[in-house]
Amino acid sequence: MSSPHQSVPPAKSSHISDDGSDTGRSTDPAQPPRAAKIIRVPQLAYLGVLVLLFCVFFPFVGWPIALWWLLLIPVAVAVWIYRTRTTVSEAGLDLRTVFGTRHLEWSQVAGVTIPKRGFVRAHLTDDSDVKLPAVSYDRLRDLIDASGGRIPDLFAAEAAAWEAKVATEKEKAEAERAEAKDVAAEPADTDTDSTATKPGDSAE
């Protein structure tokens, strides 16, 4: 797929006017507005909260007066899972974390950046990067589909590049085989200028 730290510009869509501003809605009156897509942390993460609660429970029971604060750890993790999300809609991207929210217009988004680890980042027109909460690499497909064409399909582009590479290598191999076949078909050169002299022959 795309290499780490690769910035991909969003594709122009019918939602962006000729002057570059985002209208926030479809220009086709016959096309219904696209429903907002909410990308959350997988609900399976709550199982990790239960495991964490089980781990801190026994130390708490052993010394509740001093270790009561351990119970706050699974609670904080649960709040983080519940709050962390990215909402993709016609109006842009709505980012929500534990301590705040932020709205990004599509006109502000210049591309996306895929880091080696952590959440995908939006590269803005002011050359800054903003982390997209809950959008990990395995949720990138959801982000692309929900963007309505504003973010290009990186998976299709990667597949096309791979097919082009395979086709080029195949053509090169066929050309090398044809060249080798032509060389093998050429008759061996013989030296017709020199003749063998038998013993006893005398020159006239």
Side-chain angles (χ1 to χ4, degrees):
M1 303 304 300
S2 298
S3 59
H5 302 285
Q6 178 178 357
S7 180
V8 181
K12 184 177 180 181
S13 68
S14 60
H15 306 282
I16 301 178
S17 60
D18 294 337
D19 60 358
S21 61
D22 192 338
T23 61
R25 60 179 63 88
S26 175
T27 57
D28 187 359
Q31 182 181 3
R34 183 183 295 270
K37 172 69 175 180
I38 301 177
I39 303 177
R40 304 172 181 266
V41 177
Q43 300 300 302
L44 192 62
Y46 284 110
L47 293 179
V49 176
L50 293 179
V51 174
L52 184 60
L53 180 61
F54 181 79
C55 293
V56 302
F57 178 74
F58 291 102
F60 166 76
V61 172
W63 196 4
I65 298 178
L67 300 178
W68 61 268
W69 57 270
L70 290 177
L71 297 179
L72 299 178
I73 298 177
V75 173
V77 175
V79 171
W80 177 83
I81 296 172
Y82 176 76
R83 289 276 301 175
T84 302
R85 68 184 64 179
T86 294
T87 303
V88 187
S89 65
E90 298 288 343
L93 300 172
D94 291 291
L95 318 179
R96 192 170 86 170
T97 60
V98 175
F99 300 105
T101 60
R102 181 175 180 179
H103 176 76
L104 296 176
E105 299 286 345
W106 284 115
S107 58
Q108 297 178 261
V109 181
V112 293
T113 301
I114 306 174
K116 292 183 178 179
R117 58 181 61 87
F119 295 145
V120 174
R121 299 174 180 272
H123 187 70
L124 306 184
T125 53
D126 60 0
D127 204 28
S128 62
D129 289 337
V130 177
K131 184 183 298 183
L132 302 180
V135 184
S136 56
Y137 181 78
D138 58 345
R139 303 301 300 277
L140 186 57
R141 168 62 70 182
D142 295 335
L143 177 66
I144 293 173
D145 294 342
S147 68
R150 294 180 177 90
I151 299 177
D153 193 340
L154 309 181
F155 300 93
E158 186 72 15
W162 176 258
E163 290 177 358
K165 180 180 178 181
V166 171
T168 301
E169 293 178 352
K170 184 178 180 180
E171 292 176 358
K172 182 179 179 181
E174 291 178 353
E176 291 177 353
R177 285 196 298 266
E179 183 179 355
K181 185 182 297 184
D182 293 340
V183 172
E186 292 179 357
D189 294 337
T190 57
D191 188 0
T192 59
D193 296 335
S194 61
T195 58
T197 304
K198 294 182 179 180
D201 292 345
S202 58
E204 294 182 355

